[in-house]
Amino acid sequence: VLVMLIQPLRKICPSRHSFQGISRRSYSDQADDLSIVDRWAEQAKKRTIVLHDHIYPSQLRDFQNTISLEPVRNDPQLNDAIPPTSHLIFFHPPYHEKELSDDGYEQDFSPPSPFLYRMWAGADIEFNNANPLRIGQQIKQTASLDTVSTKVGSRGGSSFVTVKKEISNENGISVIDRTTLVYMTQKTDPSKSRKPSQDISEPKAHFTKEVLPTSIMLFRYSALTFNSHRIHFDLSYCKEIEGYPGLVVHGPLSATWMAHTISSAFQRPIKRYCPSSTILMRFQIFLSCIESIVCRWNTISSRG
């Protein structure tokens, strides 16, 4: 069960990615791996990928019936502004199965071997509320490599890859999405899985929301986003290859639940959203006003 704990906070947004500026003094033993990433990043930053899509009412209906806890009967209408984070269901990667990685994921901005195991690490999403994406619009996405950083952790060498996606309609940019994936050299060791500290004192929640993800929900979200990463639907792969105890909930799906809960509760459009995957998933959502809120989601199963 995923439990949201909501606490208002007046605080300036942190620097764009906490992954940047990580010291490289600790990976002298993995110099070869780091040089591989450096050479790859130098070439990958020269690449830009442009995709085009169209926003149909049926796509938003499927999105609502996937993330909602109860059936949705109101069909989206032409010219309706789409909900926050629903931009993630568009611009499907245009690749055949044979062009994907062994884990089922596309390889547009994936570092080379030995960084074979990936996971969603966070995002920084800016919404232009003066020019929202609307049903019926033709839209364009321009993707490029934003930043790359590396470190050594419990799973060996890790590379944090941030891809910047600018999504626009006929009136200009509507969304700027910087999503970070972490690529690791070693698979998960269940015996070393981190657990939330019992010493962490959580603030009193202003309200809570509980979500119980099901395997059907994970499959439908994978289908909506054309995300064939096997950790979300292939149980034997999760356990036998990557070492997870069960299916992994999509990080963007967790972030979507949080964004919609906050937007509905406060009845204000989200201006900026900074979810990240940690022991306690932490999200920063910046509303169209001075104040912001910090949300803590009490789970470790929603990473990925």
Side-chain angles (χ1 to χ4, degrees), residues 10 16 18 27 48 53 130 151 153 193 248-249 262 266 277-278 295 297:
R10 294 179 178 273
R16 176 152 276 131
S18 58
Y27 21 102
T48 298
D53 212 329
K151 75 169 189 175
S193 296
V248 180
V249 179
I262 297 304
F266 288 86
S277 179
T278 60
C295 312
W297 196 327

Side-chain angles (χ1 to χ4, degrees), residues 19 52 69 255:
F19 316 119
H52 297 268
L69 302 184

Side-chain angles (χ1 to χ4, degrees), residues 160-187:
F160 291 87
V161 177
T162 299
V163 175
K164 178 182 177 181
K165 297 178 179 179
E166 294 183 337
I167 302 172
S168 59
N169 55 24
E170 63 269 24
N171 301 314
I173 293 178
S174 295
V175 180
I176 299 177
D177 181 327
R178 292 176 172 87
T179 293
T180 300
L181 297 183
V182 55
Y183 293 81
M184 296 152 288
T185 58
Q186 299 178 23
K187 66 181 182 179

